[in-house]
Structure formats: C-alpha cells, structure tokens
Amino acid sequence: MPKKQEVNDLKPGVIKLRTNPDVCQGCRSCEAVCSLVHQGFVAPSSTGIKVVEREKLGTFELVVCQQCFDMPCVYACPTGAMARNAYSGAVELGEGCIGCGACAAACPYDAIIMSEVSGEMMPHKCNLCGGLPECVSACPRQALSW
C-alpha cells in the first residue's frame, strides 16, 4: 500500500478526491461527516458528496466534484462567487453567491447540489475541506482516497 502523503508535502492544486464505487457499501458516512463539518449538523441534502444507488441492487456510485481544469461552474457564476483555491486546487464557493443555480446547471458531473439553507436555495459542492478531505477518513471501506 502506498504511503499516504501529508498535506504539507503536496504542491498547490494537486489534491483530488478519488472514488472506488466497487467497494462502497452505501453507508453514507461520507455524506454525514461532510454536512457535519460544513453545516454543523448531519444533513444529507447539504453535502459536497452524494451516494447514489445504481441499478444493480447493493451497488453505489459516489458523486463528487472533479475539480475540473476548465471550471465550467466558475464561468457560469454571474457574481464571480466561485474560484479555485490556490493551495488545494479546489473550486470553492465564496462570498457573493445569490443562489441562482447557474453553477449547478453548468456542472458536467451533477456534483453541485442546490438545497435550502436558512430559507434560501444555496449550492453545495466539495471544497476538499481546505486540503484534507474529512470524508476520506470517515469511509469504513476506503472507497474514498486523495
């Protein structure tokens, strides 16, 4: 098994969340920890990662931002509220979001989820937790890595 790299050993922009749907058991631990870390409570509708059941019973797909090189969500945002984090390489949502959903519509992976927060529709996407994705350590089957 390869040695896990420490965050300080990585160069800016090289962190990417990898998924292995062949071992995902659909427990949704990744969704729970994501919403807990970012929202302060468990809310599967407000996460940066989604567990989706496939057609074959008992098999799952993990939907998460691929941190696209060309960033279609960033260019679709009418307020410029999205940008790439210089350290982690994650495309992040910043101040100025109006909840229009243009970023979600532009995402080729359907990895930006629109959900209600304090009475307003807001986008949610993976921001790599600033460089150390919390969902990776929460997965009991190691279906996630970076």
Side-chain angles (χ1 to χ4, degrees), residues 39-111:
Q39 305 297 328
F41 53 89
V42 176
S45 64
S46 303
T47 65
I49 187 167
K50 284 286 175 206
V51 178
V52 179
E53 191 165 2
R54 293 179 176 171
E55 261 187 56
K56 183 180 174 190
L57 186 64
T59 61
F60 303 89
E61 177 182 354
L62 298 160
V63 178
V64 65
C65 179
Q66 297 298 299
Q67 311 302 342
C68 299
F69 181 76
D70 59 348
M71 307 180 302
C73 58
V74 171
Y75 294 106
C77 179
T79 64
M82 298 184 85
R84 188 175 301 279
N85 179 298
Y87 173 72
S88 69
V91 176
E92 297 179 341
L93 181 64
E95 297 295 317
C97 176
I98 57 174
C100 68
C103 57
C107 178
Y109 297 98
D110 292 328

Side-chain angles (χ1 to χ4, degrees), residues 76-140:
C77 179
T79 64
M82 298 184 85
R84 188 175 301 279
N85 179 298
Y87 173 72
S88 69
V91 176
E92 297 179 341
L93 181 64
E95 297 295 317
C97 176
I98 57 174
C100 68
C103 57
C107 178
Y109 297 98
D110 292 328
I112 300 176
I113 309 301
M114 297 297 293
S115 67
E116 191 173 329
V117 175
S118 302
E120 295 182 5
M121 292 301 286
M122 295 301 288
H124 297 276
K125 66 171 295 303
C126 178
N127 65 2
L128 300 173
C129 295
L132 187 59
E134 296 287 339
C135 57
V136 173
S137 59
C139 181

Side-chain angles (χ1 to χ4, degrees), residues 10-46:
L10 297 173
K11 295 178 181 173
V14 298
I15 301 170
K16 184 170 182 171
L17 197 58
R18 300 188 191 291
T19 65
N20 183 350
D22 294 334
V23 297
C24 177
Q25 63 185 9
C27 71
R28 301 184 187 276
S29 293
C30 54
E31 291 179 342
V33 77
C34 180
S35 62
L36 188 60
V37 167
H38 297 287
Q39 305 297 328
F41 53 89
V42 176
S45 64
S46 303

